[in-house]
Amino acid sequence: MTGDISDKVFAQQVIARLPPAAPSPGFEAALLAAYDAWNDARANGAWAAWKAGLRRFSEIVWPGAPLWAPASVLAAALLMGASLGALLPAAANAEPAGFSLEQPGSFSLLSSDLPQEDMDGRS
Amino acid sequence: MHDPDAEDVAKAGRGDRSAAARLIGRHTPKLLTMARRMLGSQAEAEDAVQEVFLRLWTHAGRWQPGKAKFETWLYRVALNQCYDRLRRRPTAPLEDAADVTDDAPPPDAGLDEGVLGREIARALDALPERQRAAILLCHFRELGNIEAAEIMGISVEALESLLARGRRTLRSQLAHVKDLAGDGA
């Protein structure tokens, strides 16, 4: 045990006498520059991914067109849709459309105003 | 457990340059010395430290403070970098032997200290890599056995065994050095 302790003290003293490794001039600046590069790539990466997605979408809706063309058509379509959405409910209230399964139908198989057909389909 | 680095790691992950600079300033000297002692080459040590910081930046955004101490994680990455580089070496190259002579301290230090430093560096280089890592973590970084074992990914008992063998070998390797012979005995 005594031997082990003295080995420990010896190692401690030996390591303490090792000179520290000094970084090359500009090494820490290079590390910081690497951080800046990583940070730029990260920021540009998000923007580049967004732009690439938009470009793919525009190639589907309008192949070969510059990016602004489908974007402005999309904006115009949205504007038109919003305007129609704002106007249409008033028109729909004036004349109700549609039907309900719970209300009786407006026609009857027995109604006399339907064209009469015989079993062979002749009128 | 308060981790003094946790806040800076989170900030650096969000793009805070000054937090990154603080982390670099705080950890580079010791990381570099550790890598230098493990690899025996200044250029390789700097490459390894650069790689460690790149790993840090890419993981900083996902860092979870409560899980592990940041420094433990950092030294584990550094040690793995050193192991990878040591394993990639086909044989002990001649330039490594030449590189050991680079250990000489600045010219203003005494010649004896320079010779002594080289002798110690040579004895340390001669140790198997895991014994060397254990000695550097416990005696150079002055970490406790539990933390050093965690960094090395081994049990405390295994670490103690590596330390005991490493210290013994180091002592026998340096037995011929007069300046050290009386110090530890």
Side-chain angles (χ1 to χ4, degrees):
Chain A
M1 190 69 194
T2 313
D4 188 43
I5 289 168
S6 61
D7 280 352
K8 184 178 174 177
V9 172
F10 179 82
Q12 191 68 49
Q13 288 175 349
V14 158
I15 298 297
R17 294 181 84 157
L18 270 174
S24 310
F27 179 60
E28 290 196 9
L31 290 178
L32 203 55
Y35 173 79
D36 290 338
W38 168 81
N39 206 17
D40 288 349
R42 189 182 61 118
N44 293 336
W47 169 242
W50 190 84
K51 249 171 64 175
L54 202 64
R55 166 82 48 204
R56 275 198 299 275
F57 179 70
S58 79
E59 278 300 312
I60 293 167
V61 295
W62 198 335
L67 199 59
W68 60 266
S72 48
V73 169
L74 185 68
L78 281 172
L79 193 68
M80 207 186 299
S83 311
L84 282 173
L87 292 172
L88 268 183
N93 286 342
E95 193 181 326
F99 62 94
S100 166
L101 291 175
E102 289 171 3
Q103 286 178 1
S106 59
F107 64 93
S108 165
L109 289 176
L110 303 173
S111 170
S112 58
D113 57 345
L114 283 172
Q116 295 294 311
E117 291 182 6
D118 61 16
M119 294 294 285
D120 298 326
R122 287 178 302 220
S123 299
Chain B
M1 182 180 65
H2 174 69
D3 191 342
D5 295 307
E7 199 180 328
D8 280 339
V9 174
K11 281 182 179 173
R14 290 194 297 267
D16 185 334
R17 194 174 192 267
S18 55
R22 278 195 298 276
L23 287 169
I24 289 171
R26 208 178 295 149
H27 295 290
T28 298
K30 289 208 165 186
L31 272 179
L32 189 65
T33 303
M34 170 96 184
R36 175 76 177 81
R37 297 295 162 224
M38 279 301 292
L39 297 167
S41 148
Q42 179 77 12
E44 253 193 305
E46 289 188 355
D47 284 351
V49 171
Q50 187 121 26
E51 190 62 40
V52 170
F53 276 105
L54 277 178
R55 292 270 175 95
L56 167 58
W57 309 139
T58 51
H59 285 83
R62 300 192 296 271
W63 176 255
Q64 292 176 311
K67 273 197 162 180
K69 196 178 168 201
F70 168 72
E71 211 175 21
T72 306
W73 178 86
L74 192 70
Y75 275 88
R76 187 182 293 175
V77 173
L79 204 55
N80 286 338
Q81 271 294 318
C82 293
Y83 285 155
D84 286 349
R85 281 161 198 273
L86 287 168
R87 267 162 219 158
R88 262 184 262 149
R89 288 178 183 169
T91 50
L94 198 61
E95 59 261 31
D96 270 12
D99 208 40
V100 174
T101 58
D102 287 346
D103 261 342
D108 54 337
L111 179 66
D112 287 346
E113 277 299 308
V115 173
L116 197 62
R118 278 203 300 277
E119 284 293 329
I120 297 169
R122 197 171 293 136
L124 203 57
D125 281 349
L127 291 179
E129 60 185 43
R130 279 153 60 88
Q131 289 181 21
R132 189 157 72 238
I135 288 204
L136 287 170
L137 287 172
C138 292
H139 294 298
F140 166 68
R141 279 298 292 115
E142 296 178 338
L143 299 175
N145 285 6
I146 296 173
E147 197 174 357
E150 200 181 329
I151 289 171
M152 291 184 71
I154 57 176
S155 68
V156 176
E157 291 76 20
L159 176 91
E160 282 168 354
S161 163
L162 286 173
L163 276 174
R165 280 181 283 151
R167 287 166 183 157
R168 210 176 306 132
T169 312
L170 196 62
R171 194 167 189 177
S172 66
Q173 293 264 346
L174 292 167
H176 66 284
V177 182
K178 264 190 173 179
D179 277 5
L180 296 169
D183 286 354

